[in-house]
Every structure is written in C-alpha cells, then in structure tokens.
Amino acid sequence: AQRVTQPEKLLSVFKGAPVELKCNYSYSGSPELFWYVQYSRQRLQLLLRHISRESIKGFTADLNKGETSFHLKKPFAQEEDSAMYYCALWGPSNAGNMLTFGGGTRLMVKP
Amino acid sequence: NAGVTQTPKFRVLKTGQSMTLLCAQDMNHEYMYWYRQDPGMGLRLIHYSVGEGTTAKGEVPDGYNVSRLKKQNFLLGLESAAPSQTSVYFCASSYVQRGEAFFGQGTRLTVV
C-alpha cells in the first residue's frame, strides 16, 4: 500500500532562513506527488505538483526516486509562509485511485 | 464562483445522534471526495464518488454513508455519531480523477 511520511510535525525557522519540509513515500509504481498548503483560516489548496517542475511562491520540490523523497524547499522563508503543509501521493490503493496524504508539517516563520 | 462549499461549518452532536454534511460544487466536476483530518494523521479518505449516482469506499468508511444524487452535491451521513468521529471533515472535488483537488472550507464536528 502507498504511504506518505512527513517526519516533522513542526518546523520553526527565522525569516530569511532556508526551509526544507521533508516528505518520504513508499510506492511500488511511478509516483505522482503533490504539496498542498493550508494557511490559517483558509482552505487546503494545491501548492505544486512534481510533474510540473514549477516554482510557486519561491517553493520547489524535486522528486528523488532513489531516496523516495519529495522534499519541499525554499531558500529564504517569509512570515507569510507560515502554514500547514501536506505532502500527497496519487496512485492506486485498496480503495481505488486516491490521494494519500502525509501527517502534515506546521511551518512557523518567526520575524 | 463559489468553488466547493460545505454546510455546516461547525456542529456539536451527542453520541448516538445522526446528521448529514452537505458538500456542493459549482465547477461541474465529476469526482467528489470526503476526507477527515485528525492531528498527526493527515487527511484520510472516507468515501468518494466518480460521478452522479456512484459512490465508493475510501480508507476509513465505517460509520459513514454517502449519496450523490446530483452531480453538484455529495452528502456525508453519520447514522449514529460516536466520539471517535470528532474531527474536521473536508469535501473536495476534481475534474479528472487525478491529484489536483479543490477543497471546501471544512466542517468541525464534535461528538460528546
């Protein structure tokens, strides 16, 4: 079964510091991975997907199949980046094709 | 364009009571989903629907039922609420059955 692990529940950094939110996955096929973000009092929204190889709000994420990781990075954190971040994997499971979410990491950017 | 709207936003139930959560989307999406969000466990899929009149079980379907009588609406029912169903419930929809989903604002349910 596919599984997504985010080892850090809370990550606290100072403004301007680099940020790396870790995501590891277990999946036997070719994964399709996403990062979702939930800002305070807002709904969960898609931040980026690995197939697009895009940079959104300064964030990037590279799929490393050898290490089965999809870490989210930003070189200089801003206070407005404070939010809950979820890594998610799309693929087949016992319940059909579905998004499997990690436990989430709360990022706090201090001034 | 409202996107995905959930009703109600908050609810407190007594153990054994029943209730229905309503999800409505105005994007003409085929696929709709119900998730629950619990601390440290991320979002877990309860039930989903691949089109009007269809429903399927997700990871944690026990204690819940769903219906998709109209394409734009996806209802989640709790027949006999239990404290273990205290959670934040999210509805989502997508145009295709891929990873990009649009979420509602969530319903915070407390069962006492």
Side-chain angles (χ1 to χ4, degrees):
Chain A
Q2 57 195 41
R3 187 183 178 111
V4 179
T5 304
Q6 294 178 249
E8 303 142 327
K9 290 186 178 178
L10 174 66
L11 184 62
S12 182
V13 301
F14 285 102
K15 177 182 174 181
V19 171
E20 183 178 53
L21 289 86
K22 291 184 168 55
C23 172
N24 292 93
Y25 66 91
S26 62
Y27 179 57
S28 57
S30 183
E32 191 170 343
L33 287 148
F34 303 81
W35 277 98
Y36 278 81
V37 61
Q38 187 176 26
Y39 300 102
S40 178
R41 299 189 186 88
Q42 294 187 28
R43 60 189 67 197
L44 197 67
Q45 58 187 286
L46 179 67
L47 180 62
L48 54 79
R49 71 199 85 183
H50 91 271
I51 57 173
S52 301
R53 300 187 64 81
E54 57 201 344
S55 173
I56 304 292
K57 299 184 179 182
F59 284 97
T60 59
D62 291 321
L63 177 61
N64 186 323
K65 292 185 178 180
E67 295 182 0
T68 60
S69 68
F70 187 55
H71 302 328
L72 184 68
K73 300 177 183 179
K74 185 169 183 177
F76 307 103
Q78 303 298 316
E79 290 182 67
E80 55 265 30
D81 296 328
S82 295
M84 194 76 182
Y85 291 81
Y86 291 95
C87 182
L89 184 153
W90 175 263
S93 73
N94 293 337
N97 287 328
M98 57 182 281
L99 262 178
T100 299
F101 285 85
T105 298
R106 181 168 298 283
L107 174 64
M108 292 180 59
V109 182
K110 297 176 286 188
Chain B
N1 190 342
V4 180
T5 303
Q6 292 180 229
T7 310
K9 291 187 173 63
F10 304 94
R11 185 72 185 269
V12 178
L13 284 180
K14 292 183 179 179
T15 298
Q17 285 185 317
S18 63
M19 78 163 294
T20 300
L21 282 69
L22 171 64
C23 176
Q25 54 96 2
D26 60 3
M27 295 175 282
N28 202 34
H29 285 169
E30 288 292 335
Y31 303 93
M32 297 188 75
Y33 316 86
W34 275 107
Y35 290 89
R36 60 178 289 172
Q37 181 187 44
D38 300 293
M41 302 186 74
L43 282 80
R44 292 180 292 168
L45 184 64
I46 305 171
H47 286 281
Y48 65 100
S49 169
V50 300
E52 181 179 319
T54 74
T55 62
K57 293 181 180 180
E59 292 177 273
V60 289
D62 294 341
Y64 305 95
N65 56 75
V66 288
S67 64
R68 183 101 180 265
L69 299 179
K70 293 183 179 180
K71 186 177 183 179
Q72 63 268 33
N73 296 337
F74 195 30
L75 279 64
L76 178 70
L78 285 73
E79 292 182 347
S80 179
S84 60
Q85 294 178 304
T86 293
S87 187
V88 180
Y89 291 85
F90 286 98
C91 176
S93 70
S94 63
Y95 180 64
V96 292
Q97 201 181 15
R98 303 296 293 181
E100 181 175 358
F102 294 82
F103 283 81
Q105 76 277 26
T107 296
R108 186 174 295 277
L109 174 67
T110 302
V111 182
V112 297

